[in-house]
Amino acid sequence: MTLDALIKNRGPIRNIGVIGMGYVGIPAAALFADSRKFEHVYGFQRDSPSSGYKIAMLNKGESPLKGEEPGLEELLKKVVSTKKFECTADFSKIAEMDAVTLSIQTPFKNKDDLIPDFSALNDGIRNVGKYLKPGMLVVLESTITPGTTTGPARVMLEKESGLVAGVDFALAHAPERVMVGRLLRNIREHDRIVGGIDPVSTARAAELYSPVLTLGKVIPMSATAAEVTKTAENTFRDLQIAAANELALYCEAMGVNFYDVRAGVDSLKGEGITRAMLWPGAGVGGHCLTKDTYHLERGVQQLGKDLLDYPEGERSLFVLARTINDFMPRHMARLTRDGLARAGTPVKGARIALLGWAFLANSDDTRNTPSEPYRDEMLASGAMVAVHDPFVAHAPGVTLTPSLEDTIRGADAVVICAGHHQYRSLDAAQVKALTGQKHPVIVDGRNIIDPDPCINNGFIYKGIGRGDKNNHPVRE
């Protein structure tokens, strides 16, 4: 029997399993469960010491994601109360599903060797293969190295199940395209890239995602093209941020305001003209942009190593962009040291108030936060660092000070690494009074405060891209 016939015998997709209850899996499962097209959704989560707590929370309709996520907790309560969604650690229930998606992180342990850590994803794939039945659909949503779906993932599924992809079950890659802070909106409104290993798999995956789309539409392509699309779109965004960061460094060196330059560049408009720039900042964090470049680089080395035509001996433009963005926390440390030097305060023993541990404004997502390398460099220089974040309750390896006032009190330097709305309303006079310093340093890594009130109150101001202000006269 052909795969097409197996799927027709099974009928429409009714029961869905989502493996991985994180920033991607939770909103996806909730939206699937909210659709009238589907009967029941299981969220699969390992009952591990680090993340097993999510099971009970989700089954009470509570979101483990504590940043601002409009509509998510309300939707979870709805789908739990209607008994259309349930979270479980019992992976044997995969056998009851018509379709299973995997949303599991795929980091790099060492970016230099281009070897990704697929251990968690591989465990998930093997679990699916163990319970895979004829006619089922398996979709990888994780960002993966091009060639993974048709290569290692297919091999593992076939080995565990004894079935053949494209003959006994459908297999596709449909990469997530979400941003923390607007998860539900992104899933509904962004177009969905769907790449099957064959046309039947692509069509079945399109059937899965179409009911949750509002403004978005399905864009079908091959599995490998979908993998390249996902890695390329994040690589390109990282490249754009790096261009803004490099220009900000240039503006600092030349004594001009990056944000004036940006507004001027953006003013050039007309048919076929696109000059809009992204924003510079204290660094790029998150799970995607910090590693997807390396998935793309690894993909071309594996799939096109002997075919790639590229300037001999030249470094990859994409990897260079990653290096620039990784440099920005070090630049924040440089600005902090320069500010302390102007204040006559030795770095060793200086008290730093670090505002923002999450990588993104108004979020609790701390994955690959640029605040961490900044903190580590300042600690290595002998400074003392107190960390505040209104959205982050716990973070491995860091002690968070709950009170913003207590974090700032007695600080020699106040350093803003995240653009949380609480930090946008800081009052210069009040902050200075809390520090108790004649000339406290303030370093703005997100361009969220007006430098003039700070300067007028005796601060030594430093800001990313603010060459017009970074060497201001100190007000006595």
Side-chain angles (χ1 to χ4, degrees):
M1 186 179 292
T2 65
L3 178 59
D4 192 32
L6 281 170
I7 288 175
K8 286 178 180 176
N9 286 346
R10 180 178 277 269
I13 296 171
R14 293 179 295 269
N15 298 303
I16 303 167
V18 177
I19 299 178
M21 291 288 95
Y23 291 95
V24 177
I26 291 172
L31 286 170
F32 285 140
D34 192 45
S35 172
R36 286 179 286 183
K37 290 278 187 180
F38 308 127
E39 293 179 3
H40 193 76
V41 177
Y42 274 114
F44 291 97
Q45 172 64 52
R46 292 184 304 126
D47 192 9
S48 66
S50 61
S51 54
Y53 70 93
K54 295 180 182 180
I55 299 171
M57 288 188 70
L58 288 167
N59 285 333
K60 289 188 288 187
E62 298 175 2
S63 173
L65 312 179
K66 292 308 176 187
E68 295 183 357
E69 286 298 342
L72 180 58
E73 191 136 328
E74 294 83 355
L75 185 60
L76 282 169
K77 289 185 185 300
K78 176 184 176 183
V79 296
V80 168
S81 67
T82 57
K83 301 189 184 305
K84 288 196 67 180
F85 170 74
E86 180 183 348
C87 186
T88 181
D90 182 3
F91 285 81
S92 68
K93 292 184 181 295
I94 290 172
E96 304 169 16
M97 303 297 102
D98 299 305
V100 179
T101 69
L102 295 99
S103 305
I104 300 172
Q105 294 189 24
T106 53
F108 279 81
K109 284 185 176 178
N110 183 352
K111 63 189 180 184
D112 296 328
D113 59 18
L114 287 181
I115 304 297
D117 181 6
F118 278 171
S119 56
L121 177 62
N122 289 344
D123 286 345
I125 291 172
R126 291 188 187 99
N127 262 327
V128 173
K130 194 182 303 182
Y131 301 107
L132 194 58
K133 302 297 180 186
M136 285 174 58
L137 166 68
V138 180
V139 183
L140 304 180
E141 291 194 353
S142 306
T143 304
I144 45 182
T145 300
T148 300
T149 305
T150 58
R154 178 177 188 162
V155 170
M156 279 185 283
L157 288 168
E158 291 181 344
K159 181 179 179 181
E160 292 291 334
S161 67
L163 303 176
V164 178
V167 177
D168 301 311
F169 67 94
L171 176 60
H173 178 53
E176 54 83 10
R177 308 177 91 180
V178 298
M179 175 69 79
V180 173
R182 41 189 181 271
L183 298 174
L184 293 178
R185 179 180 175 185
N186 286 167
I187 294 173
R188 288 174 172 140
E189 297 184 2
H190 285 336
D191 292 339
R192 191 77 193 213
I193 304 298
V194 173
I197 63 168
D198 53 42
V200 176
S201 297
T202 302
R204 189 63 160 176
E207 177 190 338
L208 173 65
Y209 290 103
S210 294
V212 302
L213 300 178
T214 53
L215 299 180
K217 63 181 183 297
V218 168
I219 300 180
M221 59 182 69
S222 72
T224 303
E227 292 164 340
V228 173
T229 300
K230 172 60 179 179
T231 55
E233 68 187 14
N234 280 344
T235 296
F236 187 63
R237 182 172 178 81
D238 201 41
L239 178 64
Q240 291 175 305
I241 297 171
N245 278 331
E246 184 166 351
L247 182 57
L249 297 175
Y250 283 17
C251 288
E252 288 179 37
M254 292 185 286
V256 299
N257 183 348
F258 166 88
Y259 302 94
D260 288 344
V261 173
R262 183 185 183 278
V265 170
D266 190 44
S267 70
L268 182 60
K269 294 180 172 65
E271 185 177 353
I273 298 175
T274 302
R275 296 289 191 274
M277 299 181 66
L278 296 183
W279 302 96
V284 174
H287 180 61
C288 296
L289 267 61
T290 53
K291 55 114 174 100
D292 287 0
T293 292
Y294 304 121
H295 279 302
L296 183 60
E297 288 293 321
R298 183 169 180 258
V300 75
Q301 289 188 18
Q302 291 188 327
L303 300 179
K305 184 176 181 179
D306 298 324
L307 302 173
L308 178 64
D309 192 18
Y310 189 77
E312 186 176 354
E314 292 297 331
R315 190 180 184 188
S316 164
L317 177 65
F318 301 141
V319 174
L320 177 59
R322 268 283 71 239
T323 303
I324 293 169
N325 290 337
D326 280 343
F327 171 76
M328 296 310 290
R330 290 169 52 199
H331 181 60
M332 287 286 290
R334 165 72 181 272
L335 292 177
T336 306
R337 289 192 294 266
D338 288 351
L340 290 170
R342 292 197 74 191
T345 304
V347 176
K348 187 174 183 180
R351 291 163 293 183
I352 311 295
L354 173 54
L355 306 188
W357 192 254
F359 84 91
L360 190 66
N362 305 323
S363 161
D364 70 339
D365 194 344
T366 63
R367 293 175 295 177
N368 299 310
T369 176
S371 297
E372 185 170 10
Y374 168 82
R375 179 207 59 179
D376 291 348
E377 180 157 340
M378 296 311 299
L379 289 176
S381 298
M384 298 177 288
V385 183
V387 183
H388 175 267
D389 195 298
F391 295 100
V392 179
H394 305 285
V398 60
T399 300
L400 293 156
T401 305
S403 165
L404 177 58
E405 290 76 13
D406 288 345
T407 307
I408 294 173
R409 188 171 285 112
D412 296 297
V414 178
V415 180
I416 302 171
C417 280
H420 297 326
H421 59 73
Q422 289 92 334
Y423 305 151
R424 293 178 180 271
S425 58
L426 290 174
D427 181 85
Q430 292 176 2
V431 171
K432 185 182 180 186
L434 282 170
T435 67
Q437 310 299 328
K438 182 179 180 181
H439 294 299
V441 176
I442 189 160
V443 182
D444 187 358
R446 298 298 174 186
N447 193 45
I448 62 172
I449 59 171
D450 184 347
D452 289 334
C454 295
I455 294 169
N456 292 337
N457 276 276
F459 278 89
I460 293 170
Y461 170 89
K462 297 286 183 179
I464 296 288
R466 294 308 303 264
D468 60 322
K469 297 291 183 181
N470 281 352
N471 295 304
H472 65 85
V474 179
R475 298 287 179 91
E476 295 298 333

